[in-house]
Amino acid sequence: MIDPIALAQDLIRCPSVTPDDAGALAILEHVLVGMGFTCHRLRFEAPGTAPIENLYARLGTNAPNFCFAGHTDVVPPGDAKLWRYPPFAAEIKDGVLYGRGAADMKSAIAAFVAALDGFQPKGSISLLITGDEEGPGVNGTQAVLRWLDEHGEKIDHCLVGEPTATAAAGDTIKIGRRGSINTTVTVTGRQGHVGYPHKAINPIPALAKLIDRLSTPLDDGTAHFDPSTLAFTTVDVGNKASNVIPAEARAHFNIRFNDRHSADSLKTHIAKAAEEVSRETGAEITCESIVGGHVFLTEPGTFVTLLSDAIARAIGTAPELSTTGGTSDARFIKDHCPVAEIGLPGGTMHMADECVVVAEIQSLARIYREILKAYFANPPK
């Protein structure tokens, strides 16, 4: 029998800070090969990026193909002195497993592998494990999905093991994620003496006016999403002279948007506000936006119901359906098949003393096993 706790410890002991694999995928591959999986180690390196190791493993050749997606890379541990135990020691104390990646998300990978032990699917089970989720995301899941397409590999449904729970394993199913846009605003005026402000064009009031205009609510939410948010994160002038009106001012903001918007519609909204303020103030305003992820929703239906019912059988209570939080690699997978996220509580992820209760890992393994049984008993269409 696969012990999910021991496997989680083995994975945590690999200091796989993005982009380094540090042996984590080799451990996982060794276990999966022993279970009959065909494994493909996939290394991708886009120009100007670090090479990334990924793993795609499949048991079976027939449809449907149920895929578990996750990542073995972790964020840096920070100052080791802030940790109760060394961040890659995988110590267990009073029923709690400590270590970088314990919550996000090596323990979930271990729980899924344990759930597979001895299971024979009427179809196929696959794992898509990347080493680039915490990094740029260029050489990881996106690249593996392209490889799957090129090699005729079709995924029918996908479960991502991100730490989406609030208090207990499986208490929340993420059925979608908000989109994300990061925007840099540059306001260019005309430098001048503070004693003669009429001869200058001060970019600061123009920027303040734009901030005020963009800070009005975007919407009041939708059936499955909270209201969209726009948050300014920096305002920079860099002017060290108290008697000079500066020539330029900058700001940055992020929008997390629901399904009432698209990236293009929000870019249009931003450009319209900038054009209005530019016309009113005489300052030149440019806005450069980078899309971090597009909004998506796996509509409640047979797949989501199957997941919810399986969790209820495993832990005795039905999960909440949620779309809150940041982004995950589900934003890439949703273009290939229906996807949902179920995992451990994530309250300590990315923190010093990242940890997870051992019993929660065992509970998650039971949840995953129940999902597999339900899925292959009656695969959703």
Side-chain angles (χ1 to χ4, degrees), residues 283-347:
E284 179 183 338
I285 303 176
T286 61
C287 299
E288 297 181 3
S289 297
I290 298 175
V291 180
H294 295 278
V295 60
F296 75 93
L297 176 70
T298 299
E299 290 281 356
T302 54
F303 180 50
V304 173
T305 298
L306 182 149
L307 297 175
S308 182
D309 290 348
I311 291 173
R313 286 192 297 273
I315 64 175
T317 56
E320 175 187 354
L321 303 182
S322 172
T323 58
T324 60
T327 59
S328 75
D329 277 0
R331 71 189 190 275
F332 307 129
I333 299 168
K334 55 89 176 174
D335 293 327
H336 294 254
C337 67
V339 59
E341 301 174 62
I342 299 171
L344 294 162

Side-chain angles (χ1 to χ4, degrees), residues 33-54:
V33 167
M35 299 171 72
F37 279 78
T38 299
C39 293
H40 302 272
R41 288 289 290 274
L42 304 171
R43 179 185 173 95
F44 298 107
E45 183 177 0
T49 64
I52 294 292
E53 293 285 337
N54 306 279

Side-chain angles (χ1 to χ4, degrees), residues 163-225:
T164 54
T166 54
D171 66 8
T172 302
I173 302 176
K174 295 284 186 183
I175 60 170
R177 293 278 188 165
R178 295 176 297 174
S180 176
I181 294 180
N182 288 298
T183 300
T184 299
V185 178
T186 303
V187 181
T188 304
R190 185 167 60 241
Q191 184 175 304
H193 194 290
V194 295
Y196 304 92
H198 57 285
K199 295 183 178 181
I201 298 177
N202 194 333
I204 298 175
L207 178 57
K209 180 174 283 194
L210 181 62
I211 291 173
D212 182 64
R213 193 155 299 180
L214 289 174
S215 295
T216 56
L218 290 164
D219 57 69
D220 55 2
T222 67
H224 295 288
F225 287 89

